[in-house]
């Protein structure tokens, strides 16, 4: 059996470890890829810290990681679309292909969804095996550090595409990586004005770099008043709630125009109370719940935006580490107020 280095959740406790494990098999419908670059997501931090959510999802021992760029090394007997040497990104959500959602073009909310690095050995390793259906072929000219960011950036593309922002004013609440990607996508999809809100000034600096025209402190008592004035006295057309913070959710409604769209992406840790009548019904607003990426409409849209040069995720990369230095990377990401966008792991 061939061996490889991988970052494992070896036991049901906080932390991760570097291990020598078997190179995964490529089944008949799978591709085996060499990992060229991987990136760390908030999900991986939950697994590292071993919080209640991680405990409910992950059964150690398992190799973690779900964002990566790969080069196809081997293909299974049923694989037709890909061949060794192809460069790929992976859709990390593995749909079953046969449930009601899958049969109705909603594979991103499949009833039996499996996730790379949670339910199947992940990509913080030298090799990863994934079903061919989840492999998104990219031109060999796209750098691996860009390719690995397609999976997380796809959340932003999905959110912004669903809200149809062209010519509209938008406010983004929460400038973690997905908020920053949403800002870049809103610019690429020609929003007329982009406002970014966060409590961390480093993140607000990144928000400007990604395309926000103006930024504001989340704790500013005049925040919603300011956004309403910026929206011509009526409020903004689209509010993206990317943080899951109850105060930010209230502010997102407070800044939104009547008839506007609230895009809900951030996941609150507890149920949130909203004034259903005044915030939603009587103002004629709509709320869009966004999860994952549409397979594969989101990927098509993202690839076109990247090919046209309008969407480039690279300014968000703030840290790069060899795979073996994963511990330093996770520590850096866990520290508050560190100027952290995305950290890459390079096997
Ligand atoms: Zn992720
Ligand atoms: Zn399904």
């Amino acid at each position: 059996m061939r061996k490889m280095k991988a970052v494992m959740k070896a036991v049901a406790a906080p932390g991760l470890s570097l291990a020598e494990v078997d190179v995964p098999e490529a089944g008949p419908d799978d591709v085996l890829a060499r990992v060229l670059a991987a990136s760390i997501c908030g999900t991986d931090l939950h697994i590292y810290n071993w919080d209640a959510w991680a405990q409910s999802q992950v059964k150690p021992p398992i190799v973690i990681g779900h964002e990566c760029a790969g080069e196809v090394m081997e293909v299974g007997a049923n694989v037709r679309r890909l061949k060794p040497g192809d460069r790929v990104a992976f859709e990390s959500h593995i749909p079953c292909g046969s449930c009601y959602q899958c049969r109705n073009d909603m594979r991103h909310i499949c009833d039996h969804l499996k996730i790379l690095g949670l339910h199947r050995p992940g990509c913080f390793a030298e090799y990863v095996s994934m079903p061919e259906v989840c492999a998104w072929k990219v031109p060999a000219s796209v750098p691996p550090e860009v390719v690995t960011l397609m999976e997380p950036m796809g959340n932003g593309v999905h959110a912004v595409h669903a809200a149809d922002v062209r010519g509209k004013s938008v406010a983004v609440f929460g400038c973690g990586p997905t908020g920053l990607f949403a800002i870049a996508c809103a610019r690429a999809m020609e929003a007329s004005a982009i406002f970014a809100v966060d409590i961390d000034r480093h993140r607000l600096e990144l928000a400007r770099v990604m395309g926000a025209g103006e930024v504001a402190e989340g704790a500013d008592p005049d925040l919603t008043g300011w956004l309403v004035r910026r929206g011509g006295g009526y409020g903004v057309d689209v509010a993206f709630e990317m943080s899951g913070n109850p105060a930010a959710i209230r502010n997102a409604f407070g800044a939104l125009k009547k008839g506007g769209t609230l895009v809900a992406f951030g996941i609150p840790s507890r149920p949130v109370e909203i004034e259903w009548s005044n915030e939603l019904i009587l103002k004629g607003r709509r709320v869009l719940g966004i999860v994952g990426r549409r397979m594969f409409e989101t990927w098509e849209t993202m690839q076109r935006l990247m090919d046209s040069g309008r969407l480039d995720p690279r300014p968000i990369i703030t840290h790069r580490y060899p795979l073996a230095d994963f511990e330093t990377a996770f520590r850096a990401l866990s520290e508050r107020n560190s100027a952290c966008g995305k950290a890459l792991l390079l096997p």
Side-chain angles (χ1 to χ4, degrees):
M1 203 68 192
R2 291 171 298 174
K3 296 281 181 185
M4 66 174 188
K5 288 197 175 62
V7 176
M8 305 267 308
K9 183 57 131 181
V11 291
L16 293 165
S17 55
L18 193 69
E20 279 255 311
V21 298
D22 293 341
V23 171
E25 300 274 334
D29 300 312
D30 301 337
V31 301
L32 178 72
R34 184 165 67 94
V35 177
L36 303 174
S39 35
I40 300 175
C41 171
T43 305
D44 303 314
L45 283 174
H46 287 293
I47 300 172
Y48 176 78
N49 292 323
W50 202 235
D51 60 16
W53 176 84
Q55 291 175 34
S56 75
Q57 291 292 316
V58 180
K59 300 217 180 341
I62 187 170
V63 176
I64 72 154
H66 60 268
E67 303 172 1
C68 74
E71 177 186 358
V72 176
M73 306 303 283
E74 292 169 18
V75 300
N78 301 333
V79 171
R80 296 284 172 269
R81 191 166 53 87
L82 294 161
K83 57 181 188 319
D86 284 344
R87 295 289 184 90
V88 291
F90 289 114
E91 168 53 63
S92 62
H93 292 180
I94 303 161
C96 76
S98 56
C99 72
Y100 175 87
Q101 308 296 338
C102 283
R103 286 184 284 110
N104 287 279
D105 195 26
M106 293 179 283
R107 285 181 281 186
H108 63 299
I109 43 175
C110 166
D111 286 338
H112 312 289
L113 208 59
K114 295 265 184 289
I115 300 177
L116 179 66
L118 282 185
H119 312 123
R120 177 183 175 110
C123 63
F124 290 171
E126 292 174 283
Y127 296 91
V128 63
S129 164
M130 272 294 269
E132 177 191 26
V133 66
C134 291
W136 179 261
K137 189 176 167 181
V138 294
S141 57
V142 184
E145 63 180 30
V146 171
V147 175
T148 186
L149 294 178
M150 290 181 76
E151 193 264 11
M153 186 162 66
N155 291 135
V157 175
H158 182 187
V160 175
H161 192 55
D164 184 19
V165 301
R166 188 167 183 195
K168 294 178 183 167
S169 59
V170 311
V172 176
F173 295 80
C175 298
T178 312
L180 294 172
F181 286 131
I183 289 166
C185 295
R187 180 171 63 175
M189 294 189 208
E190 299 173 20
S192 61
I194 303 170
F195 307 103
V197 181
D198 201 281
I199 52 171
D200 183 311
R201 68 183 174 81
H202 294 294
R203 287 178 161 187
L204 290 177
E205 279 162 28
L206 275 174
R208 281 189 189 280
V209 174
M210 298 305 277
E214 292 183 87
V215 303
E217 265 281 342
D220 181 345
D222 187 38
L223 176 65
T224 55
W226 177 74
L227 284 166
V228 167
R229 292 194 294 280
R230 282 291 183 270
Y234 311 106
V236 296
D237 296 303
V238 183
F240 290 91
E241 206 308 294
M242 312 303 279
S243 72
N245 181 304
I249 295 171
R250 278 193 295 277
N251 287 337
F253 276 110
L256 190 60
K257 180 183 281 188
K258 284 185 180 177
T261 301
L262 187 134
V263 176
F265 179 86
I267 296 180
S269 53
R270 281 183 294 281
V272 171
E273 232 177 56
I274 64 160
E275 242 203 279
W276 191 252
S277 54
N278 282 326
E279 295 295 21
L280 191 60
I281 302 169
L282 299 176
K283 291 199 172 72
R285 290 163 168 165
R286 77 188 172 137
V287 175
L288 299 177
I290 296 291
V291 63
R293 299 144 296 275
R294 289 190 63 89
M295 295 170 220
F296 282 84
E297 180 194 54
T298 300
W299 290 84
E300 296 282 358
T301 304
M302 179 163 48
Q303 189 71 57
R304 282 196 297 276
L305 290 171
M306 289 168 64
D307 291 348
S308 71
R310 280 188 285 168
L311 185 60
D312 184 345
R314 273 175 291 191
I316 210 170
I317 305 171
T318 49
H319 297 67
R320 293 173 175 80
Y321 302 92
L323 185 67
D325 285 351
F326 72 91
E327 187 77 47
T328 322
F330 277 86
R331 287 236 181 86
L333 288 173
S334 300
E335 271 168 32
R336 273 160 204 249
N337 299 322
S338 70
C340 217
K342 273 295 213 183
L344 303 188
L345 291 177
L346 304 165

